[in-house]
């Protein structure tokens, strides 16, 4: 059971690094979509038998994280007519290297946290922390509003991976609530991105400075 | 009962969304406010009203926050109706729906005994308040909404991770990991310590973002200063305490696990730091709504510090939630009236508010004295009690710094407030058509009466409620 699980998590980690190394916003959105869909498969691997609740979680996660949210972001992108991230705060190579360092330190750090017997050997905790860090790096170093939203989504993906440790423990209602909140959040953010574009004729968040102290 | 508190506002929100008339719709807000306050008083005066669902329990801590939320909403609802009538040409369907749903979600936070559900509710409040902040549709308000959504979403995401860590701490200890408060409190001593500590720090940062503790407060001055006045008052006086309640929950669990020493230090530090940051930005502040927002950062710092000091200061801290909420209501609502009369928030354009708007100008000044802890108002009693607690606990340095920061804030805020209320109003301000009405003035009078009442005499019912909550928090029900 651990092997296919770890293969998926390694793939997720590779996608993180790819995300940090690209400026084309379309490929960022598509990569996040692939990552989300891969994560949707995780509950399947962690449960021995397929209950309707697990099946529903898998279907909802894949639909929302893999299709609906990326679709909304692609639409928002088409509406605001931008293709590339402007020069990021730190260079692409630097962010990839930072991401790699983050992954390594996540592996080292996760060793220090005590794990329950049934979870040792799986890469869940380091993958979660590394994905979280990658999301942070994207969020902080990119200037386009849409790229920042993608950073937030990657961060949420990291937390979702950690949630896999708790699939038996988390009640279904809460899981759905979390997904719903994420979905509505992205929906609201999409609207704001559009409004920013209309009001400032750009989605560059560096223009949002009139409220600086 | 808990269900009624949550679903009455939500149902009325749906009704508001379905209502076709732009003129009549805002009146649903005071209707809801009155109904909710009546339900709250009913729920608080009937002890032993057991909730049906295991996840929704109205405990003593939740009751204090619920009372604050409901009382403040009651007054703000009338002001909101007046505000929307003044802007009759703007569509208000989204505003009414979100404002009412906001009340429902805050009630859910106060009743929720499942930490996952608490998270969902707190994130829900972020989502419904975003359109409220954006109501004015100016570029500045979009900017504020964007910052609010991004900073709070990331903060709340960390809160979710902290909630997961907490669940794992009980899973790791071989307990079935339910996130219900009762379950966690019962088995608190057996929880896995490394995960519990990590969870506390993540939740402090996560919900601390929502509560406006420095250095995660960056969204707060923007959102509070750009939102319409009743929304700002609710954000500051009710929403921030809801986030504080989530921090109280994890504090409660850590205290039950015997870890008070571990949690009190970060709380005191972050509290004093928030006060210091607020103080720096308050001195020489030219935007008077932004000044109020930084004052909220300061007071959230006081709450965190009071919680960190522990048992001797808990009474004062919980009383301060109530007195701060009501006083902020006075300040934000009167500041909103001044803003509408002058069309500016900067002290460069606003002066002579006492002559231009005798009622709001005076209340703004009185509210300033109240919030900075002058007798005979509510915040004086609660701040004095926290200070007493600090000295009782032997934390002389903390107490001394607290006093010094209070003084600095008084001077800093005083300069801005006096510029607003004194002098002569400019010619253009005097010619604007805005006049004070019953709806814009009466809620402030009501709030001020309550604030003065809390300063002169804490009603026995409220005091008993707070004593219960302190006992509950110390694990001696």
């Amino acid at each position: 059971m651990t092997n296919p699980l770890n293969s998926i998590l390694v793939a997720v980690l590779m996608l993180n690094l790819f995300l940090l190394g690209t400026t084309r916003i379309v490929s960022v959105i598509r990569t996040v979509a692939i990552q989300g869909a891969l994560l949707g498969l995780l509950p399947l691997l962690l449960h021995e038998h397929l209950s309707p609740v697990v099946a529903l979680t898998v279907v909802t996660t894949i639909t929302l994280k893999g299709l609906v949210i990326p679709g909304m972001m692609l639409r928002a992108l088409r509406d605001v007519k931008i293709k590339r991230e402007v020069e990021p705060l730190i260079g692409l190579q630097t962010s990839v290297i930072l991401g790699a360092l983050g992954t390594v330190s996540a592996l080292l750090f996760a060793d220090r946290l005590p794990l329950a017997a049934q979870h040792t050997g799986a890469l869940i905790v380091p993958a979660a922390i590394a994905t979280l860090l990658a999301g942070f790096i994207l969020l902080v170093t990119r200037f386009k509003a849409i790229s920042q939203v993608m950073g937030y989504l990657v961060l949420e993906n990291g937390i979702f991976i950690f949630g896999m440790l708790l699939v038996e423990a988390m009640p279904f209602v809460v899981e759905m609530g979390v997904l719903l909140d994420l979905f509505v959040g992205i929906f609201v953010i999409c609207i704001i991105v559009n409004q920013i574009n209309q009001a400032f004729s750009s989605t560059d968040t560096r223009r949002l400075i009139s409220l600086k102290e | 009962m808990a269900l009624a508190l949550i679903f009455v506002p939500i149902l009325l929100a749906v009704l508001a969304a379905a209502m076709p008339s732009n003129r009549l719709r805002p009146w649903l807000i005071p209707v809801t406010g009155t109904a909710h306050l009546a339900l709250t008083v009913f729920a608080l005066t009937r002890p032993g009203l057991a909730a049906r669902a295991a996840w929704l329990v109205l405990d003593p801590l939740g009751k204090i926050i619920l009372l604050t939320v409901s009382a403040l909403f009651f007054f703000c609802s009338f002001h909101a109706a007046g505000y929307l009538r003044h802007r009759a040409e703007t569509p208000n369907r989204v505003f009414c729906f979100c404002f009412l749903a906001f009340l429902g979600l805050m009630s859910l936070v106060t009743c929720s005994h499942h930490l996952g559900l608490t998270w969902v509710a707190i994130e829900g409040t972020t989502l419904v308040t975003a359109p409220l902040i954006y109501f004015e549709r100016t570029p500045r308000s979009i900017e504020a909404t964007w910052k609010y959504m991004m900073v709070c979403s990331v903060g709340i995401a960390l809160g979710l991770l902290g909630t997961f860590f907490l669940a794992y701490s009980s899973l790791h200890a071989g307990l079935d990991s339910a996130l219900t408060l009762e379950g966690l409190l019962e088995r608190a001593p057996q929880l896995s310590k490394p995960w519990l500590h990590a969870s506390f720090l993540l939740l402090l940062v996560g919900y601390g973002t929502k509560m406006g503790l420095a250095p995660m407060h960056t969204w707060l001055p923007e959102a509070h200063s750009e939102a319409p006045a009743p929304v700002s008052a609710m954000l500051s006086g009710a929403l921030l305490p809801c986030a504080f309640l989530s921090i109280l929950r994890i504090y409660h669990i850590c205290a039950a696990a015997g870890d008070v020493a571990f949690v009190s230090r970060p709380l005191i530090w972050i509290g004093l730091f928030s006060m210091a940051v607020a103080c720096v930005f308050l001195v020489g502040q030219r935007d008077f709504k932004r000044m109020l927002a930084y004052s909220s950062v300061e007071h959230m710092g006081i709450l965190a510090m009071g919680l960190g000091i522990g048992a001797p200061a808990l009474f004062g801290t919980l009383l301060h939630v109530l007195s701060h909420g009501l006083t902020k209501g006075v300040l934000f609502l009167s500041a909103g009236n001044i803003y509408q009369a002058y069309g500016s928030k900067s002290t460069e354009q606003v002066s002579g508010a006492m002559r231009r708007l005798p009622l709001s100008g005076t209340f703004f000044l009185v509210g300033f004295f109240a919030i900075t802890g002058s007798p005979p108002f509510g915040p004086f009693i609660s701040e004095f009690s926290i200070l007493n607690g600090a000295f009782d606990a032997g934390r002389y340095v903390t107490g001394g710094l607290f006093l010094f920061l209070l003084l600095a804030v008084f001077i800093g805020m005083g300069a801005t407030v006096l510029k607003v209320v004194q002098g002569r109003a400019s010619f253009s301000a005097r010619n604007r058509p805005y006049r004070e009405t019953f709806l814009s003035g009466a809620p402030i009078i009501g709030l001020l009466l309550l604030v003065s009442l809390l300063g002169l005499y804490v009603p026995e019912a409220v005091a008993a409620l707070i004593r219960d909550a302190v006992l509950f928090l110390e694990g001696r029900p």
Side-chain angles (χ1 to χ4, degrees):
Chain A
M1 181 189 108
T2 319
N3 268 338
L5 179 69
N6 278 352
S7 329
I8 289 189
L9 291 176
V10 170
V12 167
L13 290 177
M14 304 292 279
L15 289 176
N16 284 341
L17 294 183
F18 179 75
L19 277 173
L20 291 173
T22 179
T23 50
R24 283 195 62 205
I25 297 181
V26 176
S27 31
V28 171
I29 296 178
R30 290 202 179 124
T31 317
V32 174
I34 298 171
Q35 198 179 42
L38 277 177
L39 293 181
L41 294 174
L42 288 180
L44 276 182
L45 298 172
L46 280 158
H47 283 266
E48 280 88 21
H49 41 79
L50 189 72
S51 63
V53 172
V54 177
L56 192 59
T57 316
V58 171
V59 171
T60 336
T61 314
I62 295 185
T63 331
L64 278 185
K65 283 190 185 273
L67 292 171
V68 180
I69 293 177
M72 275 161 51
M73 298 313 296
L74 283 174
R75 240 189 96 178
L77 187 67
R78 208 174 51 229
D79 291 346
V80 300
K81 298 192 190 71
I82 44 163
K83 286 213 168 57
R84 276 177 190 283
E85 177 61 48
V86 284
E87 195 60 30
L89 182 68
I90 55 172
L92 288 180
Q93 278 123 350
T94 328
S95 37
V96 175
I97 292 171
L98 269 181
L101 282 178
T103 312
V104 173
S105 42
L107 280 164
L108 292 175
F109 176 67
D111 269 352
R112 295 170 160 268
L113 286 172
L115 279 180
Q118 67 266 38
H119 297 132
T120 41
L123 283 175
I124 291 184
V125 178
I129 298 174
T131 311
L132 199 82
L133 286 175
F136 259 122
I137 297 174
L138 274 178
L139 197 66
V140 173
T141 60
R142 305 296 158 97
F143 292 118
K144 290 284 183 195
I146 292 185
S147 302
Q148 291 181 348
V149 179
M150 298 325 282
Y152 171 64
L153 279 176
V154 174
L155 193 143
E156 279 279 354
N157 280 348
I159 295 171
F160 182 85
I161 300 177
F162 189 86
M164 287 300 110
L165 288 177
L166 304 165
V167 271
E168 301 97 14
M170 283 288 270
F172 177 65
V173 187
V174 171
E175 226 163 276
M176 285 300 114
V178 169
L179 274 175
L180 182 74
D181 274 359
L182 174 68
F183 175 66
V184 180
I186 298 299
F187 189 71
V188 174
I189 287 174
C190 269
I191 296 172
I192 304 173
V193 169
N194 251 321
Q195 300 286 349
I196 293 178
N197 195 43
Q198 280 172 20
F200 294 85
S201 38
S202 152
T203 54
D204 192 328
T205 52
R206 279 175 302 181
R207 298 234 179 153
L208 302 182
I209 47 165
S210 53
L211 292 179
K212 277 242 172 80
E213 203 73 57
Chain B
M1 197 67 217
L3 285 177
L5 283 168
I6 298 160
F7 282 105
V8 165
I10 303 259
L11 280 178
L12 280 154
V14 174
L15 187 64
M19 206 159 174
S21 161
N22 207 44
R23 198 169 52 81
L24 289 177
R25 197 183 298 118
W27 290 102
L28 277 176
I29 301 179
V31 169
T32 317
T34 314
H36 193 265
L37 187 63
L39 279 172
T40 304
V41 170
F42 184 70
L44 296 188
T45 46
R46 299 286 160 92
L49 260 179
R52 297 277 157 76
W55 290 1
L56 296 176
V57 183
L58 204 52
D59 63 28
L61 280 177
K63 280 180 183 169
I64 293 171
I65 311 284
L66 181 68
L67 181 63
T68 314
V69 168
S70 192
L72 186 58
F73 189 89
F74 174 73
F75 291 107
C76 287
S77 64
F78 287 94
H79 195 273
Y83 171 81
L84 291 175
R85 201 174 60 171
H86 186 68
R87 302 182 51 114
E89 70 292 348
T90 324
N92 55 30
R93 188 185 299 268
V94 177
F95 183 95
C96 292
F97 174 79
C98 288
F99 202 46
L100 295 178
F102 181 34
L103 177 65
L105 285 167
M106 284 192 294
S107 310
L108 178 59
V109 175
T110 59
C111 300
S112 160
H113 259 214
H114 185 283
L115 294 179
L117 192 64
T118 306
W119 184 87
V120 170
I122 295 254
E123 170 71 7
T125 58
T126 314
L127 299 176
V128 294
T129 43
L132 296 177
I133 295 171
Y134 182 46
F135 183 68
E136 305 257 352
R137 315 245 156 206
T138 56
R140 287 168 68 99
S141 67
I142 305 175
E143 185 179 337
T145 315
W146 170 253
K147 278 189 188 163
Y148 175 60
M149 277 303 287
M150 283 320 278
V151 176
C152 280
S153 298
V154 172
I156 295 286
L158 291 181
L160 180 63
L161 190 65
T163 310
F164 282 177
F165 272 32
L166 190 60
Y168 198 75
S169 79
S170 78
L171 194 71
H172 180 256
L175 310 161
D176 62 328
S177 106
L179 274 170
T180 53
L181 194 64
E182 279 80 11
L184 286 164
L185 286 175
E186 205 172 285
R187 291 158 309 182
Q190 294 128 51
L191 296 176
S192 162
K193 287 283 145 97
W195 289 100
L196 180 62
H197 291 174
S199 153
F200 170 75
L201 292 176
L202 279 171
L203 288 171
L204 180 62
V205 172
Y207 290 131
T209 309
K210 186 82 189 182
M211 186 182 158
L213 293 173
M216 296 87 72
H217 68 286
T218 45
W219 62 272
L220 197 144
E222 274 84 22
H224 282 40
S225 63
E226 293 308 317
V231 178
S232 310
M234 285 307 288
L235 284 177
S236 170
L239 180 59
L240 304 186
C242 281
F244 180 59
L245 179 65
S246 318
I247 293 179
L248 277 170
R249 298 286 189 220
I250 178 73
Y251 174 88
H252 194 176
I253 294 167
C254 288
D259 269 346
V260 174
F262 172 81
V263 296
S264 67
R265 188 174 306 211
L267 279 169
I268 289 182
W269 275 106
I270 206 167
L272 285 173
F273 184 68
S274 302
M275 289 176 73
V277 166
C279 187
V280 168
F281 285 101
L282 274 170
V283 175
Q285 182 59 252
R286 283 200 295 269
D287 180 332
F288 61 84
K289 276 191 90 178
R290 206 171 243 276
M291 170 196 81
L292 295 180
Y294 279 114
S295 159
S296 297
V297 175
E298 178 220 342
H299 285 272
M300 291 305 119
I302 295 178
L303 292 183
M305 187 197 73
L307 186 60
I309 291 169
L314 285 180
F315 184 88
T317 307
L318 293 175
L319 183 61
H320 196 61
V321 170
L322 188 61
S323 58
H324 165 254
L326 299 176
T327 317
K328 266 297 151 56
V330 172
L331 279 165
F332 269 115
L333 296 185
S334 49
N337 293 348
I338 296 174
Y339 172 54
Q340 291 210 327
Y342 286 80
S344 164
K345 284 176 284 204
S346 165
T347 49
E348 279 153 19
Q349 274 109 47
V350 180
S351 59
M354 250 170 32
R355 285 192 194 165
R356 171 72 177 81
L357 298 174
L359 205 68
S360 302
T362 314
F363 289 151
F364 191 61
L365 184 65
V366 176
F368 153 71
F369 281 117
I371 201 76
T372 45
S374 324
F377 299 105
F380 168 73
I381 304 290
S382 48
E383 282 172 12
F384 191 71
S385 167
I386 294 175
L387 188 68
N388 246 338
F391 289 131
D392 276 354
R395 295 185 183 274
Y396 298 105
V397 181
T398 308
L401 279 172
F402 175 47
L403 259 188
F404 168 75
L405 287 168
L406 280 182
L407 187 68
V409 164
F410 180 81
I411 296 167
M413 268 180 92
T416 311
V417 170
L418 289 180
K419 265 187 218 155
V420 170
V421 296
Q422 284 183 329
R424 287 179 63 83
S426 64
F427 182 71
S428 63
R430 268 178 286 155
N431 284 347
R432 281 171 71 94
Y434 181 80
R435 289 284 171 272
E436 284 171 322
T437 58
F438 176 74
L439 282 175
S440 70
I444 312 180
I445 300 177
L447 282 166
L448 198 60
L449 282 177
L450 283 184
V451 172
S452 324
L453 174 71
L454 278 178
L456 296 170
Y457 156 78
V458 181
E460 187 43 41
V462 176
L465 203 61
I466 297 178
R467 278 196 300 271
D468 277 355
V470 172
L471 289 178
F472 176 68
L473 204 54
E474 289 172 340
R476 289 182 282 142

